[in-house]
Amino acid sequence: MTRHFLALGDAGGDALAAMLGDAMDRKVARQDLPKGLPDADAPLAGRVLAMVFEKSSTRTRVSFDVAIRQLGGSALVLEAGNTQLGRGETVADTARVLSRMADAIMLRTDDHAKIEELAHYATVPVINGLTDLSHPCQIVADLQTLLEHGKALPGLEVAWLGDGNNVLNSLVEAAGLMKFNVRIGVPEGYDSDAGFIAQARAGGARIDLVRDAQSAVRGADVVVTDTWISMGQAHAEAKLAAMAPFQVNDALMALAKPDAVFLHCLPAHRGEEVTDTVIDGPRSAVWDEAENRIHAQKAILRWAFGQI
Ligand code: CP
Ligand code: NVA
């Protein structure tokens, strides 16, 4: 059966753990190689990844491109605005055609229903490169970063600050799969998806919703935030005002554990959701996190091709 990666749950906890191990092993194995040189075993030699972007991207685009090269394959980028998809060709027909021309498809889009439709009609693996609902690839890189920084996942106390968005939904999904806890500090009216929370709780994670940043962060092992205004959302002064008390700054970080790690998927809006002192400070792991997008994508691709 074709393996699609629309959510972390498509792989499940055991496969996710195996993917994280694979990502870390391959990262170490090739650490001195030039970035464009394939891994010695080139496990996806000859495979073509088609990437379709309906939204902007730096990290997802570059990391998938470099990831598939390192696995021995190649990538091509379709900016949806310059494709027939952007002129009204159906998602179903696009899926059928790309399945004949490429070995896997990555889509970054708005409405999550669109990627589900693409996966329904595709006969090759479809990977979620971000939708308005979720960003599972990001969270694989985040979990890898935490492991590398000595944080075992079960029982970990993770604090999320700011908007209840797509990245938070995938973080919460991961909590249920990997058995860590999330304290969500989000202002009233900006909550994340209730379905992901219910599912994570059913999986054994403790997910707390709090309305003040201090209680979210107190005693946390990990502090995570993201932009207050995601792609496709209107710039709203009211939202920025509601988010202001949730800024991750030195005073807030002082409430977390002394060895707490700070994560941000990037791009950051310095001076809004995070201060320079935190993102550039000693507890920030954001550049490792960004680099790990490459290593995580390789594991996701290998899983999609049945190699993990
Ligand atoms: N974090 C992330 O997905 O970054 P890009 O939007 O640059 O791909
Ligand atoms: N929540 C952000 C993540 C960007 C990688 C967005 O959707 O714009």
Side-chain angles (χ1 to χ4, degrees), residues 56-60 108 135 138 265-267 293:
S56 306
S57 170
T58 298
R59 279 144 289 267
T60 303
R108 169 169 284 198
H135 196 3
Q138 178 67 52
C265 65
L266 306 174
R293 293 297 304 279

Side-chain angles (χ1 to χ4, degrees), residues 60-185:
T60 303
R61 174 176 176 158
V62 176
S63 61
F64 265 115
D65 193 323
V66 173
I68 190 89
R69 287 186 209 202
Q70 292 188 359
L71 294 171
S74 60
L76 50 92
V77 173
L78 296 95
E79 304 288 355
N82 298 329
T83 65
Q84 300 294 6
L85 183 65
R87 291 184 59 249
E89 186 170 14
T90 67
V91 170
D93 287 353
T94 303
R96 292 177 178 116
V97 171
L98 290 182
S99 296
R100 297 290 185 101
M101 295 182 172
D103 298 300
I105 306 167
M106 190 235 70
L107 174 64
R108 169 169 284 198
T109 189
D110 41 24
D111 187 358
H112 193 78
K114 226 183 268 183
I115 200 164
E116 287 179 336
E117 190 181 353
L118 188 82
H120 180 76
Y121 289 101
T123 55
V124 299
V126 171
I127 296 172
N128 177 357
L130 179 146
T131 68
D132 288 349
L133 184 70
S134 59
H135 196 3
C137 294
Q138 178 67 52
I139 298 304
V140 182
D142 289 13
L143 299 184
Q144 180 186 347
T145 308
L146 293 177
L147 292 172
E148 286 176 355
H149 282 254
K151 309 285 180 200
L153 299 179
L156 207 62
E157 297 292 340
V158 179
W160 173 275
L161 277 305
D163 193 22
N165 68 14
N166 44 8
V167 176
L168 174 58
N169 286 335
S170 291
L171 179 69
V172 167
E173 187 186 17
L177 295 171
M178 306 311 277
K179 317 297 174 206
F180 59 86
N181 305 312
V182 186
R183 256 172 295 150
I184 302 175

